[in-house]
Amino acid sequence: MSQIVTRFAPSPTGHLHIGGARTAIFSWAYARKNGGKFVLRVEDTDQTRSDASMTQGILDSMTWLGLDYDGEAVYQSQRFDAHNAAVDKLLETGHAYYCTCSPDEVEAMREKARAEGRKPKYDGCCREKGLGPCEGAVVRLKAPLVGTTVFEDLVKGHIAVDNAELDDMILRRSDGTPTYNLAVVVDDHDMGITHVIRGDDHVNNTPKQVLIYQALGWDVPKFAHVPMILGPDKKKLSKRHGATSVMEYQKDGYLPEALVNYLVRLGWSYGDQEIFTKDELFEVFDIANLGSSPSVLSPEKLNWLNQHYIKESSVERLVGLLPEFLEEAGASAIDTDLLAKLIPELQARAITLKDMADKALFFFVDDFPVDEKPTKKLLKQDHDVIDERLRDLAEIFEEIDDFTKEPLEGAFHRYMDKHSLKFKDLGAPVRLSLSGQGGGIGLFEMMELLGKDKVVARLRGWKATLVK
Ligand code: GLU
């Protein structure tokens, strides 16, 4: 077989949606697995709904996900000449004709068909009139009236449509612009696409496109229509389900390889393997293992994968990524040396980078958020007793020159024993006053990383932090 060429063909009318990203990943992985090419075509023909910033957003999302495409991106809006040449060829060969029926007249034909219980469609009024180009005329495909149009979908199997069901579709509008189905066929053909992998919201367009290929005498590519992604409630994915665009996931602190791994497993499987590096994917991905039923979004699984990839990430990488999230949470002038020391402590616990930043924030700002539940519990105790203990500890810690884990732990335990306290009786108020959190990294590591000044000041200022 000739070299496999797949494509991603987004319309820049919105952000890159996770459904689109998933079909892009399938196309990309399939091309890479087969030593083929993965190309990008921006379908920006609807100038009223497309916009350059959206195109840039899609390109940025693809870069972030690591979906590298071959060659330059192709812009559909720059290919009108090729589209028109194909329409002209169809006119010359008798596979297309001019039609002067107005939209109202076509609507009336549809209405009539509906009233008579037939499928509403254009009735072929101008099919045999032999009209030439004129003001207001569209060009329609002279579609076969009998027989069936078939294709073998690589996901859905054999698909056959009665040609009597299909309209003589418009190929060129009266303003001279090509229609979607015509443009897609011409572009896919000219770009040498061998496998069209796309969402199954396009499956009804495919028989129409097959007719155009046949009329032009071109080879028909293979098609794989991928089922939808549904929300956890099994309803069509929408804003209601939370993040739907790739950029939102980035903002929420997901790592690109976690999102790619997650999306590729939505509707595709390879035994029971869950974790795939890019290289593994390029070794084993196959369209044959795409499922034919809709996939249900599982935020828990994405979180699990993200946690895995955070654990796998180098400290260096996370030091580069976290400041943006810390700043978003309210920190400024971030000490990256401190961050590098904190990261190994947080890696085991954080689900997202945002979560990691929230857990680390108290190292960088003094006015940090406070966990309500453990604070409420603590404040039920006598405030004077808490005050006395924390002030005592502040005094003891102030005298420690080697402000590291062991001496701090030793001093803490001696104080605890002297006053017959349990670890949690003393640990809870200390932790809450230092971090606002009921749990987290080891208490003495935390103190060492915070440093003496902050520890002493926060122990003394516990009321201002916790009693609100
Ligand atoms: N531009 C179309 C879309 O974004 C995709 C067309 C195709 O994949 O054939 O829905």
Side-chain angles (χ1 to χ4, degrees), residues 109-226:
M109 292 170 197
R110 296 213 163 104
E111 212 33 71
K112 184 162 178 269
R114 243 178 249 127
E116 289 168 5
R118 289 181 289 115
K119 193 169 159 85
K121 54 182 225 173
Y122 171 71
D123 69 1
C125 168
C126 297
R127 230 177 123 96
E128 305 301 340
K129 282 188 183 162
L131 298 172
C134 63
E135 181 73 25
V138 300
V139 176
R140 289 182 181 272
L141 182 76
K142 199 173 211 177
L145 300 172
V146 292
T148 44
T149 296
V150 296
F151 65 98
E152 301 302 321
D153 191 274
L154 297 173
V155 175
K156 296 184 180 290
H158 183 76
I159 295 187
V161 179
D162 221 336
N163 287 336
E165 299 277 300
L166 299 171
D167 237 332
D168 274 357
M169 78 193 98
I170 298 178
L171 304 172
R172 183 156 69 203
R173 300 183 189 91
S174 56
D175 64 2
T177 58
T179 54
Y180 159 74
N181 280 314
L182 182 276
V184 165
V185 167
V186 175
D187 292 344
D188 280 339
H189 171 263
D190 288 358
M191 292 165 82
I193 306 302
T194 59
H195 292 72
V196 172
I197 304 172
R198 61 185 170 197
D200 69 1
D201 46 335
H202 284 288
V203 75
N204 291 337
N205 285 320
T206 307
K208 301 180 194 169
Q209 294 177 12
V210 169
L211 287 179
I212 300 175
Y213 278 103
Q214 288 169 345
L216 284 161
W218 292 343
D219 285 345
V220 181
K222 294 197 172 7
F223 292 97
H225 288 95
V226 181

Side-chain angles (χ1 to χ4, degrees), residues 24 26 91 94 132 140 162 185 199 208 214 260 296 304 373 375 396 404 414 435 443 458:
F26 290 155
L91 283 165
R140 289 182 181 272
D162 221 336
V185 167
K208 301 180 194 169
Q214 288 169 345
V260 168
V296 179
W304 174 76
K373 214 166 147 202
T375 306
I396 294 168
T404 56
R414 278 193 295 282
S435 70
L443 187 61
R458 287 184 189 179

